[in-house]
Amino acid sequence: MDNLNVTFPVSLPILYHERITGMFVINGDGSRFVIYDADTKPTMKLKPLEEKLLMQLPLGQPEHPYTTKKLITQLGMPANSRSERLVRSAQSQLNLKRGIFIGGGRRDDGSQGIYLATTSQEALNAIEPYGKQAKTMMKRYETMKKRIRDGYTKQRGGDNE
């Protein structure tokens, strides 16, 4: 924890349909907990797996982010593809629906995994791979669209002859 450049406690807002319902708090000693607003309905609270995942993720951009398999083991789940889907789904829900930045990606040494972004810079680093992926997908889309416009299927004996 000493290598983090973070002022504790860190409070990350938990969103529910763009409405703040509570805070995920990380203390300097590494303890973590969730505080909900007084009017938070049970359906607005984190699902049990989402909360467990938040409690296990490494804070900040660590040298070795946690792999899905490591998280599954730490969460006490069976090591199978269903557990992987559940953990990835919980991660996605925390990112997209709860507004909590969980970073991930591949490092130069080939290691990959996820971590809990605790600063604005880490949050920016967390979303960077999505931008790169979107650019690559758009380039592929534009290339394929151009080939179709240029009669690609006709050249290949396709159905629009």
Side-chain angles (χ1 to χ4, degrees):
M1 297 282 292
D2 296 334
N3 62 349
L4 291 177
N5 187 13
V6 177
T7 304
F8 290 97
V10 174
S11 296
L12 304 172
I14 298 171
L15 304 178
Y16 185 81
H17 296 294
E18 303 302 321
R19 180 184 173 284
I20 295 177
T21 61
M23 300 298 283
F24 175 63
V25 181
I26 307 160
N27 286 320
D29 63 359
S31 62
R32 308 168 188 200
F33 56 93
V34 177
I35 302 173
Y36 290 104
D37 298 339
D39 63 341
T40 301
K41 297 176 181 129
T43 56
M44 297 167 75
K45 293 183 177 182
L46 293 176
K47 293 178 181 172
L49 183 57
E50 292 172 348
E51 191 165 335
K52 287 178 186 176
L53 184 59
L54 277 178
M55 301 303 168
Q56 293 297 324
L57 287 172
L59 302 177
Q61 228 170 338
E63 287 299 313
H64 300 287
Y66 286 6
T67 64
T68 303
K69 289 180 181 181
K70 181 174 183 171
L71 286 167
I72 287 169
T73 301
Q74 288 185 325
L75 293 168
M77 299 171 75
N80 57 36
S81 58
R82 182 175 187 276
S83 294
E84 284 188 32
R85 283 192 304 273
L86 289 171
V87 168
R88 289 174 200 248
S89 175
Q91 174 192 352
S92 180
Q93 294 298 311
L94 288 169
N95 274 334
L96 298 174
K97 289 194 174 180
R98 305 298 189 167
I100 295 175
F101 287 95
I102 297 176
R106 212 173 293 262
R107 298 200 175 275
D108 293 337
D109 66 359
S111 65
Q112 60 183 1
I114 60 176
Y115 61 91
L116 182 63
T118 56
T119 66
S120 296
Q121 184 59 51
E122 289 170 355
L124 287 171
N125 294 347
I127 64 171
E128 188 176 333
Y130 299 116
K132 287 179 181 179
Q133 183 179 3
K135 286 179 186 176
T136 300
M137 292 174 76
M138 280 305 296
K139 184 176 179 180
R140 184 177 299 153
Y141 168 79
E142 291 297 334
T143 300
M144 294 172 80
K145 188 175 176 182
K146 182 180 182 316
R147 285 184 177 172
I148 291 169
R149 273 195 312 258
D150 293 346
Y152 179 77
T153 54
K154 199 179 278 187
Q155 296 170 6
R156 301 285 186 250
D159 59 350
N160 65 346
E161 291 185 35

